[in-house]
Structure formats: C-alpha cells, structure tokens
C-alpha cells in the first residue's frame, strides 16, 4: 500500500476515526490491527515470517532483560567494593566495624563467589546479545542477499568448473526487511548497554516493530523514544497534532507525487538505458535524479511523520535540507538522519574506540591514532551502509565513494583552506565566508550527484557508460530534453529549493509567512488549503511507483 495512493487515504479514513472512537484500553489493539492490516495489504505472504522474526527477537530481548535486571544489585555492590579502597583505613573502620582487617579474610570467599556469579551472568548476557544480533544479520542475508551471493559464487566457480552451478533459490524479500532488522538490533543494543531499562511486553514490542508509518522505510526510531509513546497512546484528539500531521502529509505528497514521480517519468528511461541517450541528456538526468531520490525519500518520511502525528505520536525528523551541506560529513548528519545516527552510535563510534584503544597500547602518537581509527571506522561503516542499501556491487562502491570523500576531506582540510585563500588572493578577490560557503556547497552537491550515478545504475557497465558519455560530450542533444513537461518540472524544483534555501538561511521569512497565513480569516485559510490539495491532486502522479527506499 503506497502512502501516495487512494488505498492509503481510504485506510486512514477508516482507522483514524476508529482509533479515537475506541476506548483507552482498546486503542493499542486498534493501532496494532491497523499496522497488521497495512503490512498484510502490502505483502500478505510474509506477515507470518515477520511474526516469527518478532517472536525470535523477543526471546533474546527477554533473556537480556532478565539478566540485566538481576545483575543490577551485583553491579552496585561491585562498584562499592571498588570504591572502598579509596577510603582511609581509619574512616572505614569508624563507619563500619564489620569492615575491619580481621573480618576481611572471612568475606573474601563470599566476594569471590559473587564475582564468579556476576562474571557468569555477564557471559550469558553477552552470549544472548551476540546470538540475537547474529540471528538478525543472518536472516537479513538469507532473504536479501542469497541471490547476490549465489550469483557471485557461481561466477567464481565457473572460472574453475564451467559446467557446475549452484542452484538459485527463489526468495521473495519481505518489505521493509532492512529497516525491521536495524530496529530489532537497535532494541537489543539499547537493552544490552542498559539504556532501556523498562519492562518489555510482546504486544508492545510487536507494536514497535510493525509500527505502520515507519515499517517500510523508516525512520529507525530508538525504543527509548517510540516505546513509551506506544505504551501510552494519547486519549483525546489534539487539534494541533491534527493540523501539523495534515501539513506534513500534504508537504510529503507534494515532494513525492508532484516532484519525485514527475521527474521519475522523465528520466527513468534514459538512466535505465544510458546507451540510448546522449551525454547532454544523461547529464541533466543525473542531476534530476539527485532531486528525485531526495524528494522521494523526504516525501515518504514527511508522510510517515504526519501520519504518526495524527495518532499523537512523535517520530524522528529524517531530513534537514542535506543538499545545502558544506561537507560530506555534514551531508550525512542531515540525510536519512535515523540511519546515519544508527550507524554513528552502533558502528562508527564503537569501531573508532576499539581501534584507538588498540593503537594507544602500541604507544603510537596521538595524531596517528586519531587518523588511523577515523579512516578504518569510516571505511567499514560506509561499506556496510552501502551493502545495507542493496545487494549489488554498485551499492558497495557507492558506500566506498562516500568513505573516500570523507577520508580525503579529513586529510586535506587545512590544505584546501590555504589553497583557496591563496587562489582568491592572487585573482584579486576577497575570500569571505559567503563565497567559501557557495563553493563548498556546490562542490559537495557535485560529489554527491556523482556518487548517485553508481547508486542508481543497474550495473557497473551502465554507470561507466553514463559517466563516459557525460565526460565526452556533456552538451550533446541538451535542447531535446527541454519539453514542456521538463520545463514545468524544472520550475517546481526551483520553487522547492528556493523554499529550502529560505528555511536554511532566512528562517524568519518562513516564520513571518506562516504567521501571516494564520492571521488570515479562517474562510480564506480554508480556501488556501483546498487549493493546495487540489493542486497536489491535479499535478501529482499517484499510484505509479513505489518509494525508492522501500525496496531497501
């Protein structure tokens, strides 16, 4: 069921009033039924697989939770025993006669047995944690990467045994499997680290995983934020939540149906078959794809955010005008924020700490430790991010490109600052912050757009053909692209990014505009909203394509 379809509108029209007409106790059940219906309507067969996935993860979570709860008193006793040597013997004997030197030999067997018991529990806890993470990773690999791995294995086998091939398994990939996997692993990590200490029931955990606004393509909300809201669903309809929710949904539909799908119709044919397009056409198509994937995914995220808001639930804002970033690192802090923060907290930082600790033990210089730990952590994190997006070497290379950009930027930061300052000085221009920001933002967008070529390409050969044609003749047949539909799409893109620019650089203009609209009489405001809805319905393309990130 597409967010931008009539079916989803009917779905909301049924479950939204039903949710608020239900009693407080029945409301979680209604919401669970809506999530199950949404998922089954999208992909009926794999609801059983998803339920088994939830049950398996809940088993590991229950084991971790029990061990975490039982180990809390022991941890506190261990901490007190670790702090006790800091106290002077006189003070300790005055406060507690039982801690006298004569009694310590009698207590040592008890203390050692407690330490052994605590160590055994920590081992069991670590075992269940690693088992839970491995289960999710292996399940993800089975459903998503079996065909990819079999294909690559056969290519390797054919070098030595041309007549032999491994059989291909026909496996239907459950929708949203990558996001479900990351949400499941996130829950395991948060409990293992002790960041989420509340009791977890099977029903509420299933609500968290199947939460229908984000089940297909995120955002990947942490349990600490989403679980309390699902456990305590609001009783009364909040008018402000309703207004904000509808505004987010309308804006998301504008991004998806009016801009992204319109661009998709114009460029998909050329990018699918680059050998049939000219260099000039491909150049325009590649830049437009940067807009398409952004508006497509940001549109989904805003519709998800608005839909959750209708039910009184706040979820993570997934985008923050990423194409106005001045570096690749900043881009990733503003693009798919729930994924980038997941990768930062659960992959990059632990890896960086691990490498830094190992290198520090070797007595290396601090700068060398920082550089090596940063390079290795970024490289591993972005390769995993690329592979997570899709079962193909083009996605892996896309991740490698992003890592290369960040590593190159890390090593050349001082050189680039001096180089451009000197270049502008010799040319007779003043290298101020505004010019610097324009150059950084423009170069950053070009680098990201180049990386999107590999992300979008169906194969390496297709990506190479696209790049070669653009480099050989970037202006060939450019005029043939500018049809009336393309010009209208360009106008919409210009308006959209003008709004984003004002949000980014001059937010006071947007705020004053919003206040002016709110000051208008209700009748005129209503007419404005009706016009916005009418424009989206008339100018948008509905039910023609799945969201790009839903396939991941």
């Amino acid at each position: 069921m597409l967010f931008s379809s009539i079916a989803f509108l009917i779905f909301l029209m049924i479950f939204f009033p039903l949710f608020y007409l239900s009693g407080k106790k029945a409301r979680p059940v209604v919401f669970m039924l809506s999530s199950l219906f949404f998922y089954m309507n999208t992909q009926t067969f794999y609801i059983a697989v998803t339920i088994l996935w939830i049950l398996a993860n809940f088993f590991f979570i229950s084991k971790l939770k029990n061990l975490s709860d039982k180990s809390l008193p022991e941890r506190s006793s261990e901490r007190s025993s670790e702090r006790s040597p800091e106290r002077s013997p006189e003070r300790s004997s005055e406060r507690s006669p039982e801690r006298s030197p004569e009694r310590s030999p009698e207590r040592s067997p008890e203390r050692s047995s407690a330490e052994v018991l605590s160590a055994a529990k920590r081992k069991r806890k670590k075992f269940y944690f690693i088992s839970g993470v491995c289960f999710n990773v292996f399940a993800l690999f089975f459903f998503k990467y079996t065909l990819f791995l079999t294909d690559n294995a056969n290519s390797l086998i054919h070098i030595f045994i041309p007549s032999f091939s491994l059989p291909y398994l026909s496996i239907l990939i459950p929708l949203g499997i990558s996001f479900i996997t990351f949400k499941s692993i996130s829950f395991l990590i948060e409990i293992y680290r002790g960041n989420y200490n509340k009791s977890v029931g099977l029903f509420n955990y299933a609500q968290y995983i199947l939460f229908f606004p984000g089940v297909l393509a995120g955002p990947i909300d942490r349990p600490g934020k989403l679980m309390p809201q699902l456990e305590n669903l609001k009783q009364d309809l909040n008018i402000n939540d309703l207004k904000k929710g509808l505004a987010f949904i309308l804006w998301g539909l504008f991004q998806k149906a009016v801009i992204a799908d319109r661009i998709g119709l114009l460029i998909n044919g050329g990018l699918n078959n680059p050998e049939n397009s000219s260099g000039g056409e491909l150049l325009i198509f590649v830049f437009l794809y940067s807009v398409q994937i952004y508006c497509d995914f940001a549109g989904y995220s805003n519709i998800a955010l608005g839909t959750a808001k209708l039910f009184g639930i706040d979820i993570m804002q997934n985008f923050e005008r990423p194409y106005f970033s001045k570096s690749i690192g900043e881009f990733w802090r503003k693009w798919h924020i729930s994924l980038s923060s997941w990768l930062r907290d659960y992959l990059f930082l632990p890896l960086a700490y691990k490498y830094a600790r190992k290198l520090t033990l070797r007595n290396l210089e601090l700068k060398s430790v920082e550089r090596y730990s940063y390079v290795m952590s970024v490289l591993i994190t972005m390769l995993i991010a690329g592979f997570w997006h899709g079962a193909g070497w083009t996605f892996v290379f896309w991740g490698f490109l992003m890592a290369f950009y960040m590593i190159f930027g890390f090593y050349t930061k001082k050189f680039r600052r001096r180089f451009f300052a000197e270049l502008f000085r010799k040319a007779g221009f003043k290298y101020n912050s505004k010019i610097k920001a324009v150059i950084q933002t423009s170069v950053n967008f070009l680098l990201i757009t180049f990386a999107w070529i590999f992300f979008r390409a169906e194969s390496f050969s297709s990506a190479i053909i696209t790049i070669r044609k653009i480099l050989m003749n970037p202006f060939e047949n450019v005029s043939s692209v500018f049809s009336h539909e393309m010009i209208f799409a360009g106008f919409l893109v210009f308006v959209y990014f003008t709004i984003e620019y004002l949000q980014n650089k001059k937010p006071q203009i947007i705020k004053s505009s919003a206040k002016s609209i709110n000051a208008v009489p209700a009748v005129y405001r209503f007419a404005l909203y009706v016009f916005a809805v009418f424009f989206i319905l008339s100018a948008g393309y509905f039910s023609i394509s799945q969201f790009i990130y839903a396939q991941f």
Side-chain angles (χ1 to χ4, degrees):
M1 187 189 299
L2 294 176
F3 276 175
S4 56
S5 65
I6 300 299
F8 181 72
L9 178 62
I10 296 171
F11 166 82
L12 272 185
M13 290 174 67
I14 294 172
F15 279 101
F16 174 68
L18 186 62
F19 176 82
Y20 283 105
L21 290 173
S22 304
K24 189 175 181 181
K25 291 183 179 180
R27 201 158 285 153
V29 178
V30 173
F31 198 84
M32 172 63 86
L33 289 174
S34 66
S35 294
L36 285 170
F37 181 84
F38 178 84
Y39 196 86
M40 289 177 66
N41 184 270
T42 306
Q43 196 177 68
T44 307
F45 177 73
Y46 268 110
I47 187 65
V49 175
T50 307
I51 289 172
L52 289 174
W53 194 308
I54 290 170
L55 291 173
N57 273 286
F58 186 72
F59 167 78
F60 293 114
I61 286 168
S62 299
K63 291 294 183 181
L64 283 175
K65 201 76 186 68
N66 291 336
L67 290 169
S68 298
D69 293 341
K70 290 177 183 177
S71 61
L72 285 175
E74 292 167 10
R75 285 182 178 180
S76 61
S77 65
E78 286 172 11
R79 287 170 185 161
S80 62
S81 65
E82 288 171 0
R83 287 194 296 266
S84 61
E86 298 173 3
R87 300 172 182 171
S88 63
E90 295 82 11
R91 291 179 66 187
S92 62
S93 60
E94 288 172 7
R95 291 186 180 182
S96 178
E98 298 173 354
R99 293 182 181 177
S100 61
E102 302 87 31
R103 298 295 299 264
S104 59
E106 297 176 10
R107 285 182 58 104
S108 59
E110 296 175 7
R111 193 184 304 122
S112 62
S113 63
E115 289 172 356
V116 169
L117 186 62
S118 179
K121 285 183 178 178
R122 284 198 297 270
K123 285 183 179 179
R124 287 176 61 198
K125 185 179 176 182
K126 189 173 184 178
F127 167 77
Y128 284 116
F129 169 69
I130 294 174
S131 299
V133 172
C134 288
F135 165 78
N136 283 282
V137 172
F138 289 152
L140 177 65
F141 263 77
F142 174 75
F143 285 108
K144 189 171 179 178
Y145 301 104
T146 296
L147 182 62
F148 170 76
L149 295 173
T150 304
D151 193 45
N152 281 273
N154 281 333
S155 298
L156 188 63
I157 290 169
H158 289 165
I159 298 173
F160 304 99
I161 313 173
S163 59
F164 178 78
S165 294
L166 294 173
Y168 287 93
L169 297 176
S170 180
I171 300 173
L172 183 64
I173 302 174
L175 284 174
I177 185 172
S178 298
F179 293 91
I180 289 172
T181 301
F182 270 26
K183 286 179 75 174
S184 301
I185 293 175
S186 176
F187 214 116
L188 290 167
I189 294 174
E190 291 298 296
I191 291 179
Y192 181 73
R193 290 180 175 178
N195 296 333
Y196 189 79
N197 298 315
K198 296 182 180 179
S199 60
V200 182
L202 177 59
F203 182 85
N204 289 328
Y205 177 70
Q207 285 269 47
Y208 170 76
I209 297 297
L210 291 172
F211 178 65
F212 80 87
V215 71
L216 297 185
I220 310 167
D221 275 289
R222 308 289 174 88
K225 179 181 179 181
L226 188 56
M227 283 290 286
Q229 296 184 82
L230 294 174
E231 291 168 358
N232 302 290
L233 293 171
K234 292 182 179 179
Q235 186 172 0
D236 299 320
L237 175 63
N238 187 300
I239 298 300
N240 287 329
D241 284 348
L242 178 63
K243 289 179 180 178
K244 289 178 181 177
L246 291 174
F248 273 115
I249 290 173
L250 283 176
W251 184 242
L253 285 173
F254 174 74
Q255 291 172 299
K256 164 63 176 173
V258 178
I259 297 180
D261 283 351
R262 180 181 300 278
I263 290 174
L265 288 174
L266 295 170
I267 70 172
N268 284 342
L271 292 178
N272 289 339
N273 302 286
E275 60 276 1
N276 298 330
S277 300
S278 66
E281 290 171 331
L282 289 172
L283 180 63
I284 293 172
F285 293 163
V286 164
F287 277 110
L288 284 176
Y289 179 72
S290 292
V291 179
Q292 183 200 8
I293 191 171
Y294 171 45
C295 288
D296 187 279
F297 195 18
Y300 171 92
S301 297
N302 282 323
I303 296 172
L305 196 152
T307 302
K309 200 73 176 173
L310 294 180
F311 295 91
I313 299 171
D314 292 316
I315 61 176
M316 185 182 291
Q317 184 93 31
N318 226 5
F319 291 88
E320 194 180 330
R321 299 174 291 280
Y323 286 151
F324 289 95
S325 304
K326 300 179 184 67
S327 67
I328 299 298
E330 185 185 352
F331 169 80
W332 275 103
R333 290 191 293 273
K334 296 181 175 183
W335 174 276
H336 200 174
I337 298 170
S338 63
L339 173 65
S340 59
S341 61
W342 195 101
L343 293 170
R344 179 198 63 206
D345 295 341
Y346 300 144
L347 267 178
F348 174 78
L349 291 177
L351 284 170
Y353 173 74
K354 176 185 175 182
Y355 282 114
R357 186 175 57 181
K358 283 186 176 181
L359 293 170
T360 303
L361 294 174
R362 296 181 183 180
N363 297 321
L364 295 176
E365 293 182 3
L366 182 60
K367 282 187 177 181
S368 300
V369 171
E370 289 177 350
R371 287 175 180 175
Y372 184 81
S373 60
Y374 177 81
V375 168
M376 293 304 298
S377 303
V378 165
L379 186 60
I380 293 171
T381 300
M382 295 314 299
L383 286 175
I384 291 174
F387 199 44
W388 175 85
H389 277 86
W393 290 115
T394 52
F395 290 105
V396 177
F397 187 74
W398 170 79
F400 171 78
L401 261 182
M402 288 293 178
F404 174 76
Y405 290 159
M406 285 191 273
I407 293 167
F408 183 82
F410 177 75
Y411 274 97
T412 62
K413 187 175 182 180
K414 291 181 180 178
F415 168 78
R416 285 182 288 114
R417 189 185 299 125
R418 291 195 302 266
F419 173 79
F420 282 107
E422 183 66 18
L423 184 68
F424 271 75
R425 187 186 66 79
K426 288 182 177 179
F429 296 104
K430 188 177 179 181
Y431 187 54
N432 56 33
S433 57
K434 290 184 178 180
I435 295 174
K436 182 181 176 182
V438 170
I439 293 173
Q440 288 176 327
T441 303
S442 302
V443 171
N444 204 53
F445 179 71
L446 289 173
L447 291 174
I448 292 164
T449 299
F450 179 76
W452 285 136
I453 294 174
F454 293 92
F455 190 92
R456 172 62 175 79
E458 297 180 359
S459 64
F460 264 113
S461 60
S462 180
I464 297 302
I465 290 171
T466 301
I467 295 168
R468 180 167 53 81
K469 283 197 168 189
I470 291 173
L471 292 176
M472 288 179 64
N473 200 340
F475 303 108
E476 182 186 4
N477 260 358
V478 171
S479 58
S480 64
V481 176
F482 293 103
S483 61
H484 293 295
E485 190 65 27
M486 181 67 80
I487 293 170
F488 183 57
F491 170 74
L492 292 173
V493 170
F494 173 77
V495 170
Y496 177 79
F497 280 102
T498 299
I499 294 171
E500 284 220 335
Y501 173 80
L502 293 174
Q503 289 175 328
N504 191 55
K505 295 295 183 182
K506 301 185 182 294
Q508 66 277 6
I509 295 177
I510 300 296
K511 289 179 182 178
S512 61
S513 300
K515 287 181 181 179
S516 300
I517 292 172
N518 289 330
V520 170
V523 176
Y524 297 109
R525 267 204 325 274
F526 180 75
L528 182 65
Y529 297 147
V530 169
F531 172 78
V533 172
F534 177 77
F535 175 78
I536 291 171
L537 290 176
S538 59
Y541 291 87
F542 295 90
S543 304
I544 63 168
S545 66
Q546 178 61 278
F547 287 87
I548 293 173
Y549 259 72
Q551 64 184 297
F552 306 137

